[in-house]
Structure formats: C-alpha cells, structure tokens
Amino acid sequence: MPTNILMPALSPTMEKGNLAKWLKKEGDKVKSGDVIAEIETDKATMEYEAVDEGTIAKIVVPEGTQDVAVNAVIAVLAADGEDVKAAASSGAAAAKPQAAAAPAAAAPKSVEAKPAEAKPAPAAPVAAAAAPQAAAPKPTTTGRVFASPLARRLAKDAGIDLSRVDGSGPHGRVVARDIEEAKSGKGLRAAPVAGAAAAPAAGAPAPALSDTQIRALYEEGSYDFVPHDGMRRTIAQRLTAATQSMPTFYLTIDCDIGKLTAAREEINASAPKGADGKPLFKLSVNDFVIKALALALQRIPEANVSWAESGMLKHKHSDIGVAVALPGGLITPIIHKAETLSLSAISNAMRDLAARARARKLKPNEYQGGTSSVSNLGMYGIKDFTAVINPPQASILAVGTGEERAVVRGGQIVPATIMSCTLSCDHRAIDGALGAELITAFKTLIENPVMMVV
C-alpha cells in the first residue's frame, strides 16, 4: 500500500513551510534515514529524512513551492515490490484531499462562502459593503469582533487588527477572504482619524497605516516592493508582541574592560596550534560577555527565569542566545549550559553556530528557547543601545563598543577602556532591584575575567 509523505512540522510553532528542494526524484529508491528534501522554515533550511523504505512514486508538491501546510501530502512512496505507477495514481488520488487542504486559506474560503451564498438577495452584500462600518465586525458595546477562527489566525500572522477589517461573512463576520483582501489594503478601514479618534482616546497610540495608505505616500515607480518572507514576518510578529505586551525597563552600566582586553590578548597569543599551524581558538570580547552573563545568571538565579501566565519558569542552566545578523533578518542561536563551558569552547561553538545560522542550517533546538540573550553592536562603534527582549526570555544584554574614556580614580583623571552595557528586563519576571543585582554581577565578572576561570 502506498505511503503518503507529509509536510513535516519542524518546530512546535510551524504551521507551514517552503519546499526548497527535492533531493530525490520520481523512481528513486529511498531507505529510512535518506535525506529526500530540504524544507525552509522561517529561520532555517532543514533536511527532511525518509522514515519508510520504498520508491518515490510521485512528487505531489514541486520544489520551490512556498507556504505548504504542515501535514499536506508532498509525495507518494511505493512499498518494495509494489507497482510504482499504480501507487502513484492511487496515492495521488488519496493525497488530493490533503493537498487541497494545504493552502490553508483556500479551503476555508469556500466553507465561509456557503453561508454567504445562502443569504437572501444579491443586493445584500452590496448594501452591507456600502454601509457596513458600524454594523459590521465589532459590536461597540463589548468591543468584540466576530470572526472565524481561520480569519483570526490569518490576521494574527499578518499583523492585521481585526477591528479594522470589514467583515463580508454572515452578519458582518470577518472571514478568511476578508483578511486576504486586507493584506493589500482592500476593505481595511483606516483607523479612526481626526476628531472622532481624538476625543475618546487622547493618549492612545496612533493606528498603523494600511499598505494602501503607505504606498499612496510615494510616487508610483519610485520604489521596489519586496514581499516579506517568513523570517521577516516572524521577527515583526514576535518583537511587536514583545514591545506591546511585555513591560520592560532598562539598566545601563559602564564596565572597565582593561583587564579583559589584556587577558584576551595573552590567552590568544598562547592558544595551542592545530595540525595546520592555526590557533585552535581565538577569543573575542563577545565570548567573555557570554560567559560572564551565564555565570551572573547562576549567581542571581532569581533572574534566570521566564514568565508564563500560570507561573514562573526558574531555569537551572544559563542558555544564552546570541544575536546574529543575516541578510534580511537576524537569529539568536543558543549556547546551551554556557556557565559550564570554557571560554574556548564558547568561542568555537559560537563560530560554528554563526556559520550555520548564516547558511540557514540551524536546527530548531539550536535557536528556540534560551534563558537570556546578548546583542552586541560594539563592532559597529555603537556606544550604547537598548535591545528588545526575545520571548519567552526575560532579559537581554545590549553591549556597546569598548572605547577609551576619561574616568576619575583617586581624585585623578585617568584613561580607561569602558564598555557600556544595557540590560532589558521583563518587569513581570524581574524587578528593578533584581535586575540591578544581575547586571552588577555581570560587571564584577567582566571586569575581573580571572573569576570566570575559577
């Protein structure tokens, strides 16, 4: 009996992915464990291994296809001894219902369309469209927006405020097709402007402009439009959610890294050589920062936490994410149990993770989770800045450049190499004094690097 090969869920939150490349073609035999395809998630390109043995009878989803839903049939596998052509036809036939379900937005459309068709007169939709605003999606008494589950999910994915969408479903209900149209600005109400908006909510944040409104500000042909890819959408959604839902405060401290700089030069100069004559490691300032933050979280364990609605997660290890810039986005690969690793091990692990991150070859467990993060813009000459916390972590350390500054010691002005660091804290999980203890512990370690090797 033919086996359907399904689009895998490569992370807990993955709902769809891109079928980047087939590594097998129709008629090829595969064994369990053979890599048959490459799947792109929002953050990485991952290899997909066959589970069963047999012959690829039919490729249902061609390579290069984007947004293939998890569990959609992407190929059919004929068992050993089975007629491949028969398997291809029977398997493909069996696959069709699931394949059709793949474009998640498409299927529900027709489901949503039926009640609309069942609605009385053809004039009804027009009338509803002509004067819908007040009656449509949101009963003003409760502020509740009536929308289908799929429409809610699509709106969330696209970052669209449901209350601004004109619903075309029964009784003004927002359905999937409304969200699809809203993505291009169609049917998307411009948020309350001028007088009406000013009166009720004087301090309310300004509503986001629709795509149509934004494009109207620029001359046609004066820009190139590049649709968002999965990574950019994920970054936008997660960081917008973080800034809107997470009460954050910031603590900045100046660290004298004179001893660190000297120790780093000495350690690197004495690094052992490999067979090729090259040093086996080369420490960077960032490696010291990762280690210092990991140890500081162990010294102040109450700050090594994640907020959840029902309770606090108190982490036993310091899993430190490190922001790595990629073309068109960024990712934070994680150094797990960084408090237990030597500086050279952190350095080599970070080099490997960064290289695979840029090639989009990280596995989900290498960039998901983490207990805190480091974002270092010192190499760009940035003196200090604040970083956005990456949920579900409760803190992130923004590291500026190390520079010579004049400081006062014993009543004398002397030069010193100072690095400013700013800790962003989720106030739901970390209070001000606790955050101060954490960044002070970090300062103590980073200014006395010998303490990191004890």
Side-chain angles (χ1 to χ4, degrees):
M1 183 176 178
T3 302
N4 287 335
I5 300 175
L6 307 180
M7 185 67 168
L10 299 173
S11 72
T13 57
M14 177 176 169
E15 295 180 351
K16 55 191 175 183
N18 302 335
L19 210 164
K21 187 176 183 180
W22 278 109
L23 301 177
K24 299 288 183 182
K25 59 182 184 297
E26 291 180 358
D28 282 357
K29 287 188 174 298
V30 298
K31 295 182 297 183
S32 175
D34 282 355
V35 178
I36 59 173
E38 291 181 349
I39 307 294
E40 282 181 3
T41 67
D42 56 343
K43 295 274 187 178
T45 300
M46 303 184 65
E47 294 178 339
Y48 184 21
E49 296 180 356
V51 177
D52 301 300
E53 297 185 354
T55 303
I56 300 287
K58 185 175 183 63
I59 288 178
V60 178
V61 177
E63 67 181 28
T65 303
Q66 298 192 339
D67 296 338
V68 182
V70 167
N71 289 333
V73 177
I74 58 175
V76 178
L77 188 71
D80 284 342
E82 197 170 15
D83 184 280
V84 175
K85 287 186 178 177
S89 53
S90 63
K96 272 182 182 173
Q98 298 178 59
K109 259 188 189 174
S110 58
V111 175
E112 298 289 357
K114 283 177 185 170
E117 289 167 8
K119 263 231 147 220
V126 179
Q133 262 77 338
K138 44 176 182 184
T140 51
T141 51
T142 64
R144 181 180 172 190
V145 177
F146 293 103
S148 69
L150 178 62
R152 289 184 182 279
R153 184 168 63 78
L154 292 174
K156 183 181 177 185
D157 290 346
I160 293 174
D161 179 359
L162 268 177
S163 67
R164 295 180 53 209
V165 179
D166 290 335
S168 64
H171 308 292
R173 181 180 175 142
V174 178
V175 294
R177 61 171 173 269
D178 300 325
I179 303 300
E180 293 299 328
E181 290 178 349
K183 288 180 182 176
S184 61
K186 187 177 178 182
L188 187 63
R189 281 195 301 274
V193 219
L209 296 174
S210 69
D211 280 16
T212 304
Q213 290 172 313
I214 293 172
R215 291 195 194 201
L217 296 174
Y218 303 95
E219 185 181 347
E220 191 68 32
S222 66
Y223 57 84
D224 293 324
F225 180 75
V226 181
H228 301 310
D229 60 11
M231 173 179 283
R232 180 49 57 190
R233 287 189 185 280
T234 300
I235 291 171
Q237 289 163 7
R238 289 178 61 82
L239 299 187
T240 299
T243 53
Q244 291 181 344
S245 65
M246 192 182 290
T248 306
F249 66 90
Y250 308 95
L251 301 169
T252 300
I253 202 164
D254 290 337
C255 304
D256 185 339
I257 58 170
K259 293 180 183 175
L260 184 155
T261 304
R264 173 175 169 255
E265 290 177 0
E266 190 173 340
I267 294 172
N268 283 340
S270 59
K273 304 283 194 301
D276 56 359
K278 294 182 179 177
L280 292 179
F281 60 83
K282 185 178 180 181
L283 302 185
S284 67
V285 172
N286 211 40
D287 299 329
F288 286 87
V289 170
I290 295 167
K291 179 77 175 183
L293 179 58
L295 291 176
L297 287 167
Q298 293 297 306
R299 291 187 176 191
I300 314 295
E302 294 299 317
N304 194 23
V305 294
S306 289
W307 168 268
E309 290 303 324
S310 58
M312 201 82 80
L313 277 66
K314 294 191 171 183
H315 303 291
K316 296 177 181 175
H317 294 286
S318 302
D319 299 332
I320 306 297
V322 183
V324 173
L326 307 176
L330 62 87
I331 192 170
T332 50
I334 294 167
I335 304 283
H336 290 278
K337 300 181 180 178
E339 81 279 8
T340 67
L341 302 179
S342 66
L343 285 163
S344 59
I346 289 175
S347 180
N348 289 334
M350 197 58 239
R351 188 169 292 109
D352 169 61
L353 287 170
R356 288 192 290 116
R358 294 188 179 101
R360 299 203 174 192
K361 295 291 185 185
L362 291 180
K363 298 173 184 173
N365 67 317
E366 292 178 308
Y367 60 82
Q368 292 181 344
T371 65
S372 187
S373 285
V374 169
S375 178
N376 192 335
L377 293 179
M379 64 289 286
Y380 297 101
I382 302 300
K383 181 181 176 185
D384 58 66
F385 67 104
T386 57
V388 180
I389 297 171
N390 187 22
Q393 299 170 15
S395 63
I396 184 170
L397 187 70
V399 181
T401 189
E403 60 180 2
E404 277 204 331
R405 297 183 203 168
V407 300
V408 179
R409 284 183 184 149
Q412 301 294 316
I413 297 178
V414 297
T417 305
I418 303 296
M419 180 176 73
S420 294
C421 298
T422 300
L423 185 70
S424 305
C425 298
D426 178 354
H427 212 326
R428 299 172 303 174
I430 300 176
D431 293 325
L434 186 60
E437 288 182 43
L438 176 61
I439 198 167
T440 301
F442 169 81
K443 175 183 170 73
T444 300
L445 289 159
I446 205 74
E447 291 189 341
N448 300 281
V450 68
M451 298 173 70
M452 295 189 221
V453 295
V454 176

